[in-house]
Amino acid sequence: MRHFGHIAPEVRQRLFHQEPCEFDADSPARLLSAALGATLYSPATRPRLADDVLKQAARGVVSMVLCLEDSIGDEDVAAGEENLVRQFTDLAGRERADVPLLFVRVRAPEQIPDLVRRLGPAARLLSGFVLPKFTEERGMPFLEAVADAEAASGRRLFAMPVLESPELLFRESRVETLEGISRAVDKYRERVLALRLGVTDFCSSYGLRRAPDMTAYDVQIVASVIADVVNMLGRADGTGFTVTGPVWEYFRVQERMFKPQLRRSPFLEGRAEELREVLIEHAMDGLLREIALDQANGLTGKTCIHPSHVPAVHALSVVSHEEFSDAQDILRPERGGGGVMRSAYTNKMNEVKPHRAWAERTLLRAEVFGVANEDVGFVELLAAGIPG
């Protein structure tokens, strides 16, 4: 699979200076964690789940979570498990099926080895599990279960803990909780693909819900948690993990209080004013702003609950030609001693040592999402990525 692989090769050639690389479920963890992109959630109870998975893959989705936790009722768990096994078996029986990275969000540790056993040969399509309400105490049994299931199946299985517990939100317990989470995920470092943020659960602890005009970063109590998670668990010194952006809850807005947040000029230049109106109508201007803030605050990829969100996440993940040029200049072997230089675009300073970690992350993102041509902007990438 590859990002933007669903669009025609001649269109990719026009859009990209460097096209996104190909990868699969057996690729190195470092590459996969950067390539997750927009991870689309779906209830495991959907009766045509196998068809849904293939449909979304054909539209550019490369990672999905099939949920047995909050997205379904307590009374539907057993039926959800049965449906999940049946749909995986269906997928495994289809020849040359283009299947994205598939993860299952479970409720309890014992579900993990049980589901892997019940999946049988179809477990080859499973990339891992999403672990809810993760703390050191609650999370260790989940991580141990993933390790045991991997050993029993002979199949590499990843874990994606969700950081969403009240202990992480409350100021008096936050640092201690983060330290415990750090110990747990560090012990299973090779198995932890990414850490996911459960911002909806954070808000629920205070009876809050962000409006479509606002981002997670406008809710200060949530923004403070994101900052602390990145501070302690997302460092670029080799000790950190990929931390993904929170879910955007909206996909159509009936009424808005504030002015739209999308400038007209990029859309006028790309002759895409109609696209701008559609984005505003569907609350996508708020989503686009939140994605930009995710990236500015050290988050990679995003949890998505609607397919319409996927193209926006992926379009904003493509590395611009200017970013690519700066990153390459900073990482040239002859720059190993440090120093400062004017960028090739002559509009900024590139300082080799302080910008090195940024440059390394940028080139990894360039590998999986590609580098846009010099004259290609976000609007063209978004328009190309939206399914026809």
Side-chain angles (χ1 to χ4, degrees), residues 10-182:
E10 61 271 18
V11 177
R12 288 203 306 270
Q13 189 173 15
R14 176 174 55 81
L15 292 174
F16 289 98
H17 169 76
Q18 173 184 301
E19 289 194 26
C21 71
E22 292 186 348
F23 59 91
D24 58 32
D26 295 318
S27 294
R30 181 171 178 268
L31 187 77
L32 291 181
S33 68
L36 287 168
T39 300
L40 184 64
Y41 273 56
S42 176
T45 50
R46 290 180 67 90
R48 298 181 61 85
L49 188 59
D51 291 333
D52 294 340
V53 167
L54 296 180
K55 178 181 178 181
Q56 296 309 325
R59 293 183 171 190
V61 172
V62 304
S63 64
M64 290 186 70
V65 173
L66 312 178
C67 185
L68 290 165
E69 208 229 354
D70 285 347
S71 69
I72 67 174
D74 296 346
E75 68 280 5
D76 295 326
V77 174
E81 291 179 348
E82 291 176 8
N83 187 59
L84 194 70
V85 172
R86 185 166 56 250
Q87 301 291 337
F88 261 83
T89 302
D90 181 357
L91 278 173
R94 303 196 190 193
E95 290 186 15
R96 295 192 296 246
D98 186 11
V99 179
L101 303 173
L102 295 178
F103 302 86
V104 175
R105 178 165 168 161
V106 291
R107 294 182 172 218
E110 54 268 23
Q111 285 178 292
I112 293 172
D114 180 58
L115 282 170
V116 171
R117 178 187 58 78
R118 291 163 65 183
L119 285 171
R124 64 180 176 81
L125 301 180
L126 180 65
S127 289
F129 293 89
V130 175
L131 316 180
K133 299 171 180 58
F134 193 93
T135 62
E136 182 180 27
E137 181 179 0
R138 287 197 295 269
M140 286 300 288
F142 280 101
L143 290 172
E144 291 164 359
V146 173
D148 291 345
E150 177 178 290
S153 67
R155 166 76 189 167
R156 182 178 68 168
L157 295 171
F158 288 114
M160 292 200 290
V162 184
L163 310 187
E164 56 187 346
S165 65
E167 300 98 312
L168 184 58
L169 183 63
F170 300 151
R171 183 174 182 179
E172 67 271 19
S173 55
R174 184 179 304 171
V175 172
E176 182 181 355
T177 302
L178 280 169
E179 288 174 341
I181 292 171
S182 179

Side-chain angles (χ1 to χ4, degrees), residues 65-313:
V65 173
L66 312 178
C67 185
L68 290 165
E69 208 229 354
D70 285 347
S71 69
I72 67 174
D74 296 346
E75 68 280 5
D76 295 326
V77 174
E81 291 179 348
E82 291 176 8
N83 187 59
L84 194 70
V85 172
R86 185 166 56 250
Q87 301 291 337
F88 261 83
T89 302
D90 181 357
L91 278 173
R94 303 196 190 193
E95 290 186 15
R96 295 192 296 246
D98 186 11
V99 179
L101 303 173
L102 295 178
F103 302 86
V104 175
R105 178 165 168 161
V106 291
R107 294 182 172 218
E110 54 268 23
Q111 285 178 292
I112 293 172
D114 180 58
L115 282 170
V116 171
R117 178 187 58 78
R118 291 163 65 183
L119 285 171
R124 64 180 176 81
L125 301 180
L126 180 65
S127 289
F129 293 89
V130 175
L131 316 180
K133 299 171 180 58
F134 193 93
T135 62
E136 182 180 27
E137 181 179 0
R138 287 197 295 269
M140 286 300 288
F142 280 101
L143 290 172
E144 291 164 359
V146 173
D148 291 345
E150 177 178 290
S153 67
R155 166 76 189 167
R156 182 178 68 168
L157 295 171
F158 288 114
M160 292 200 290
V162 184
L163 310 187
E164 56 187 346
S165 65
E167 300 98 312
L168 184 58
L169 183 63
F170 300 151
R171 183 174 182 179
E172 67 271 19
S173 55
R174 184 179 304 171
V175 172
E176 182 181 355
T177 302
L178 280 169
E179 288 174 341
I181 292 171
S182 179
R183 286 191 294 269
V185 295
D186 189 61
K187 182 176 180 180
Y188 288 89
R189 175 170 293 274
E190 293 182 359
R191 194 157 280 109
V192 175
L193 188 62
L195 305 176
R196 312 200 72 89
L197 287 165
V199 164
T200 301
D201 281 53
F202 290 156
C203 289
S204 73
S205 296
Y206 288 88
L208 304 174
R209 186 174 190 178
R210 70 189 188 277
D213 302 291
M214 298 184 181
T215 72
Y217 302 91
D218 295 312
V219 183
Q220 290 300 300
I221 196 164
V222 170
S224 71
V225 182
I226 294 174
D228 287 343
V229 168
V230 174
N231 190 331
M232 294 185 68
L233 298 171
R235 299 177 186 179
D237 60 0
T239 66
F241 296 83
T242 294
V243 183
T244 66
V247 69
W248 180 258
E249 299 177 355
Y250 298 95
F251 42 89
R252 191 173 181 88
V253 177
Q254 303 302 322
E255 183 179 358
R256 62 169 64 240
M257 182 181 298
F258 300 110
K259 291 174 62 177
Q261 302 173 77
L262 282 179
R263 290 172 51 242
R264 287 183 179 274
S265 55
F267 292 85
L268 293 174
E269 293 166 6
R271 298 180 181 179
E273 180 67 10
E274 185 178 338
L275 174 59
R276 179 179 180 272
E277 295 302 322
V278 171
L279 293 175
I280 291 170
E281 180 185 354
H282 290 78
M284 301 286 272
D285 54 325
L287 168 63
L288 295 173
R289 182 167 177 263
E290 184 165 286
I291 296 167
L293 288 169
D294 286 342
Q295 294 175 350
N297 285 277
L299 307 185
T300 302
K302 199 166 187 66
T303 295
C304 293
I305 48 85
H306 196 274
S308 65
H309 300 166
V310 173
V313 175

Side-chain angles (χ1 to χ4, degrees), residues 324-341:
F324 185 64
S325 173
D326 288 339
Q328 282 192 314
D329 281 350
I330 289 164
L331 295 177
R332 292 188 191 282
E334 63 267 26
R335 309 288 189 196
V340 179
M341 75 200 91

